[in-house]
């Protein structure tokens, strides 16, 4: 509809351009003609707005930018970083070490009475003992099974089977938050396999 109005206005301008003295907006009777402006109805306005919105380049939302920031990393790397971000004792670490512990490995390899892990687990740790550690298994649904085991066992051994069974029975189900993607990327860049 706009194109027709503009075309009509252009034809009027061209047809009225006869004599320079009369000017472009004079009719045959030397009377000025007003170019009639028409207001589009509401339906035309909303249709035009929709066309304009569709023609625009898609805007990058912060969520889309964050997804893009994480898209170059594996799901495992993102999981390790998010787990540490939420549960790690020290966030100011020099390196984030990943140790994959297979099912059946004793919780405390130095104690013959130790119970074994009932599933494959991941142990995350910083480069220093004060950084702490997080031992868990992922459930693939945004939750983990958190095992309350230390990075280094102190105490007198043998501790007894009951001691370790209690640790296993107190495994906690924890929902992991996505966290700040900038911090997740920072931690991913610190990831290293356990030496």
């Amino acid at each position: 509809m706009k194109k027709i109005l503009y075309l009509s206005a252009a034809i009027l301008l061209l047809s009225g351009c006869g004599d320079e003295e009369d000017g472009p907006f004079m009719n045959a009777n030397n009377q000025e003609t007003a170019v009639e402006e028409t207001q589009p109805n509401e339906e035309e306005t909303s249709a035009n707005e929709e066309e304009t919105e569709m023609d625009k380049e898609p805007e990058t939302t912060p969520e889309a930018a964050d997804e893009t920031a994480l898209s170059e990393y594996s799901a495992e790397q993102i999981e390790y970083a998010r787990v540490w971000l939420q549960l790690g004792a020290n966030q100011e670490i020099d390196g984030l070490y990943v140790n994959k512990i297979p099912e059946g490995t004793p919780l405390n390899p130095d104690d013959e009475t130790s119970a074994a892990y009932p599933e494959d687990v991941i142990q995350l740790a910083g480069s220093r003992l004060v950084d702490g550690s997080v031992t868990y298994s992922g459930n693939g649904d945004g939750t983990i099974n958190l095992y309350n085991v230390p990075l280094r066992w102190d105490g007198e051994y043998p501790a007894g089977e009951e001691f370790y069974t209690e640790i296993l029975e107190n495994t906690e189900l924890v929902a992991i938050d996505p966290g700040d993607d900038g911090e997740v990327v920072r931690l991913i860049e610190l990831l290293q396999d356990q030496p």
Side-chain angles (χ1 to χ4, degrees):
M1 185 69 176
K2 275 187 172 179
K3 289 180 183 177
I4 294 171
L5 290 175
Y6 290 132
L7 186 58
S8 299
I11 291 171
L12 268 175
L13 286 173
L14 290 174
S15 65
C17 292
D19 190 1
E20 286 294 324
E21 292 176 23
D22 291 342
F25 295 102
M26 297 293 202
N27 65 15
N29 298 329
N30 288 337
Q31 295 177 348
E32 287 187 27
T33 54
V35 176
E36 189 176 315
E37 288 188 31
T38 59
Q39 295 291 332
N41 65 31
E42 287 181 30
E43 289 176 9
E44 290 172 344
T45 303
S46 63
N48 289 336
E49 286 174 2
E50 285 177 21
E51 285 176 18
T52 306
E53 288 298 318
M54 290 171 55
D55 292 339
K56 287 183 183 177
E57 288 294 318
E59 293 182 21
T60 304
T61 62
E63 293 82 12
D66 290 342
E67 287 175 16
T68 304
L70 294 178
S71 64
E72 64 186 85
Y73 302 107
S74 72
E76 281 185 336
Q77 290 173 313
I78 295 169
E79 177 186 285
Y80 301 153
R82 285 179 172 165
V83 168
W84 188 265
L85 186 61
Q86 184 170 332
L87 301 171
N90 183 11
Q91 296 299 311
E92 301 302 319
I93 54 176
D94 299 327
L96 181 56
Y97 294 88
V98 178
N99 184 18
K100 296 179 179 181
I101 303 171
E103 175 185 348
T105 302
L107 275 67
N108 182 353
D110 297 327
D111 187 348
E112 60 192 33
T113 64
S114 176
Y117 287 106
E119 59 187 338
D120 294 343
V121 296
I122 304 292
Q123 188 170 61
L124 304 174
S127 56
R128 302 166 298 174
L129 280 176
V130 296
D131 294 335
S133 67
V134 178
T135 305
Y136 74 96
S137 66
N139 295 318
D141 62 357
T143 65
I144 64 168
N145 301 320
L146 181 63
Y147 290 83
N148 187 19
V149 296
L151 183 60
R152 186 175 71 188
W153 294 89
D154 293 325
E156 293 188 22
Y157 302 106
E161 202 172 308
E162 192 176 302
F163 173 77
Y164 297 103
T165 302
E166 187 176 325
I167 290 173
L168 292 176
E169 288 173 354
N170 289 312
T171 300
E172 184 181 354
L173 182 68
V174 177
I176 298 299
D177 297 325
D180 176 70
D181 285 348
E183 286 297 302
V184 171
V185 170
R186 179 184 68 82
L187 289 167
I188 288 172
E189 291 173 353
L190 297 175
L191 282 173
Q192 300 178 36
D193 288 330
Q194 191 73 19

